[in-house]
Amino acid sequence: MLTQLTIHNFAIVRFLELDLRDGMTCVTGETGAGKSIAIDALGLCLGERADAGMLRYGAEKAEVIARFNIEKNIHAQQWLQANELDTQDECILRRIVTQEGRSRAYINGTPVPLNQLKQLGNTLINIHGQHAHQLLLKPEYQLAVLDAYANHQGLLELTRQHYQNWRSLHAERQRLRQAQEQRQARLQLLEYQVHELDEFALQPNEFIEIEAEHTRLANSESLRNDSHYCLQQLHDGDDVTISVLMKNVLDKLSPLSEFDPHLKNVMQMLQDAQIQIEESHYELRSYLDNLDLDPSRFVEVETRLSKIMELARKHHVRPEELAEKHRLLRQELTELSAADERLQELATALHNAREDYLAAANKLSASRQRYAAELSQQITGQISQLNMPDGRLEIVFHPQETPTPTALGLDIPEFQVSTNPGQPLQGLAKVASGGELSRISLAIQVITAQRVATPTLIFDEVDVGISGGTASIVGKMLRKLGQSTQVLVVTHLPQVAGHGHQQYLVAKQTDGQQTETSMKLLDTETRLQELARLLGGDQITSNTLANARELLISG
């Protein structure tokens, strides 16, 4: 349950701290005093959209903190554990909004994204707004009411999953079909391109290798002649060679190094150089002996290299990228060739996905039919107590020749009502007046609230259009509901407020420059005064006080 609500600089609230109790708590006040501000602030703390207009004029930030006792709230405890957030008997939600419209959210002191605040909020509070009777005219809201009453979360999720799978497969098939004509043209081009490249059979890295070979063959004469010249200069020549010169130098230097040890390092370096020269001579000799510079091979290499260059230009890639381009084209051809096969696979998959969806949706529909009869009976019983003794409500489903799959199933419900004896059932919008619609809506909200596993229920002026003896019955209904759960009621009706276990008064003060809203818990005497004001306006008389006392006692 909600134990405390603290509000800083929200709307016209400078600072407000409410300590809340269990049972039924009523909030009253003059029109325009800001009775719903606390509910709006709480909505912000539960993840509603934030903007800078929520800040009190001149404030740098607004802050709302809501404390909950979750000792008996298993759903909230499980959610906190699943999301690795601190789990104790108390849960604290906090929301901050800045002048720039930015907001930050916290759960038990840990920063969290807004969607987590919303998810946890759904396990803590259920808010019934003053416009619920207008929403009741919409088929999607009627369906949501029925599903909430029947606790269809599991069936809805299963239906949604099968629908998403079917829809995904359906979209893929549509894409393949739309692209089929273009695919055929592309397929023909790819078959030609891949066939041409397959015949050429260029291997990875072949261009680098063949380019190197072409360079070598193109310079065959220089390689042979100049290598032979170098071999002659090193060792094989008839004239003085490098080997002979090196030997002469060593012969001269060797005795000198005996006279002066400083020359030994020079001797060592020259000896190493002599060894390197000899090895170079052997390597160069071996190279010339094995040099294969076949002119016919040069023609082959040049022809293949020219073809590589031609194909590379044709496919708008560099020559070294041609092999990779070949691989990609072959891969695309394989995928396109498999598209027809995929279409056949999709036909089977779609059929199976639709069957799975229909099985889940039909199971959901059957459950809706069962609970629709039960809910219709309960609503009829409740509205008969709300000064509609001959009222009757029935939830019907309109059959469809070809049902269109949706994430919510296949059902289109309609809440039909008869308000007078002998009157046929018709849609709410055609039959119910504003006051009747309010009473029907309130009856539905009270019934569904008893089925929803949230420990705190808020009714924000849901008694609009209700008065007199009907209002007293509404008060009794909400008080009874407050015996099993915490109920907060924003109301303008004394007959409802008199049934609360406790009552807050919202008042607005101004000094001519700034306006401020406050809320205070009323004791018995001040509560009588407020009920008398609600009954008779600003002129409180002994009669209105007496009537207020009767309302409070009856509560």
Side-chain angles (χ1 to χ4, degrees), residues 197-303:
L197 289 169
D198 281 345
E199 280 193 332
F200 188 62
L202 181 69
Q203 301 302 310
N205 298 320
E206 183 184 347
F207 169 73
I208 296 173
E209 295 169 1
I210 205 166
E211 188 178 38
E213 185 178 2
H214 179 269
T215 301
R216 184 170 63 86
L217 291 171
N219 294 278
S220 58
E221 187 175 345
S222 295
L223 286 170
R224 182 180 292 106
N225 294 339
D226 290 351
S227 293
H228 181 75
Y229 169 79
C230 291
L231 195 63
Q232 293 294 314
Q233 295 297 312
L234 280 172
H235 191 274
D236 294 351
D238 295 332
D239 298 328
V240 177
T241 66
I242 292 173
S243 296
V244 170
L245 290 172
M246 182 64 73
K247 182 178 182 305
N248 291 339
V249 170
L250 285 170
D251 288 344
K252 287 287 185 181
L253 201 59
S254 180
L256 296 177
S257 65
E258 296 297 328
F259 304 144
D260 189 347
H262 288 94
L263 292 173
K264 289 191 178 292
N265 283 340
V266 177
M267 277 289 298
Q268 185 61 52
M269 287 188 285
L270 289 170
Q271 287 170 350
D272 292 341
Q274 187 181 36
I275 294 171
Q276 293 292 325
I277 289 169
E278 289 174 358
E279 289 182 356
S280 299
H281 165 255
Y282 296 140
E283 287 288 328
L284 191 54
R285 167 56 62 192
S286 176
Y287 170 77
L288 275 170
D289 290 344
N290 294 285
L291 187 60
D292 182 12
L293 299 172
D294 184 0
S296 62
R297 174 60 184 165
F298 176 69
V299 174
E300 291 176 12
V301 168
E302 188 165 45
T303 301

Side-chain angles (χ1 to χ4, degrees), residues 182-190 193 329 332 336:
Q182 295 177 350
R183 190 170 62 249
Q184 289 302 322
R186 177 66 177 163
L187 192 62
Q188 290 178 356
L189 175 62
L190 283 171
Q193 290 177 326
L329 288 173
E332 186 182 355
L336 282 180

Side-chain angles (χ1 to χ4, degrees), residues 139 142-143 146-147 152 364-373 376 394-400 408 410-416:
Q142 295 176 1
L143 192 62
L146 175 58
D147 286 332
H152 277 155
L364 178 59
S365 295
S367 182
R368 282 171 173 164
Q369 294 277 358
R370 184 172 69 254
Y371 280 103
S376 299
E394 189 172 321
I395 303 172
V396 299
F397 295 91
H398 297 291
Q400 304 177 70
L408 296 175
L410 301 168
D411 304 304
I412 301 177
E414 184 180 28
F415 282 27
Q416 296 185 345

Side-chain angles (χ1 to χ4, degrees), residues 410-469:
L410 301 168
D411 304 304
I412 301 177
E414 184 180 28
F415 282 27
Q416 296 185 345
V417 67
S418 170
T419 56
N420 297 301
Q423 183 184 34
L425 289 164
Q426 295 185 66
L428 282 175
K430 295 180 180 178
V431 179
S433 65
E436 289 169 337
L437 192 59
S438 294
R439 279 175 274 172
I440 294 169
S441 173
L442 182 59
I444 291 172
Q445 291 182 64
V446 170
I447 291 168
T448 55
Q450 294 170 337
R451 304 273 298 195
V452 177
T454 47
T456 299
L457 302 171
I458 296 178
F459 295 89
D460 185 10
E461 296 199 30
V462 295
D463 49 14
V464 172
I466 295 171
S467 60

